[in-house]
Amino acid sequence: MKIKEDRIQVILNNYKNNPLKSNFVLIVLNYSTQDFFKYNISVSKFYQKLTNSKSAVGKLSNREWFKNIKNGFYKFQVNPEKTTVYICLEPLRKLSE
């Protein structure tokens, strides 16, 4: 976990040094905890499935789409009712909504 925390700190420091050059996108996903773990073994496996799958929305597969991400990390919160996954991305170029 230390490596991930160091990487997050470097990303945040780069942002603090030049906030106008950074282009972060924050995605917040909320799920029923029961439903989330019915279909996913863990949050890390969910993220792996999201970023490395050959599923596609539009013309690009998820795997190809995530190749356009320069930096990123995820955090999560789990309680008995709700699981929230926060995904922070820094794309190589501006993303359209």
Side-chain angles (χ1 to χ4, degrees):
M1 196 62 129
K2 179 72 173 139
I3 293 171
K4 190 173 188 178
E5 290 171 1
D6 289 344
R7 183 174 179 191
I8 292 170
Q9 192 60 48
V10 168
I11 292 169
L12 292 174
N13 286 340
N14 288 343
Y15 176 76
K16 286 177 189 175
N17 292 336
N18 196 348
L20 297 177
K21 190 175 181 183
S22 297
N23 181 29
F24 281 97
V25 175
L26 178 63
I27 301 167
V28 180
L29 306 170
N30 290 303
Y31 295 95
S32 152
T33 296
Q34 183 179 2
D35 290 345
F36 183 85
F37 288 103
K38 180 178 175 182
Y39 298 105
N40 301 285
I41 297 169
S42 66
V43 176
S44 62
K45 287 293 184 186
F46 166 78
Y47 187 77
Q48 180 182 16
K49 193 171 26 173
L50 177 68
T51 59
N52 200 28
S53 75
K54 293 182 181 178
S55 299
V57 175
K59 297 178 183 179
L60 286 177
S61 71
N62 289 3
R63 184 180 296 171
E64 290 299 315
W65 190 89
F66 273 90
K67 286 181 181 178
N68 293 310
I69 302 302
K70 179 179 176 182
N71 287 307
F73 59 90
Y74 71 93
K75 290 285 194 178
F76 60 92
Q77 293 178 322
V78 178
N79 68 44
E81 285 87 38
K82 183 171 76 170
T83 295
T84 303
V85 181
Y86 303 92
I87 303 173
C88 184
L89 306 171
E90 183 181 16
L92 293 171
R93 59 183 179 272
K94 189 174 180 178
L95 298 176
S96 66
E97 291 182 25

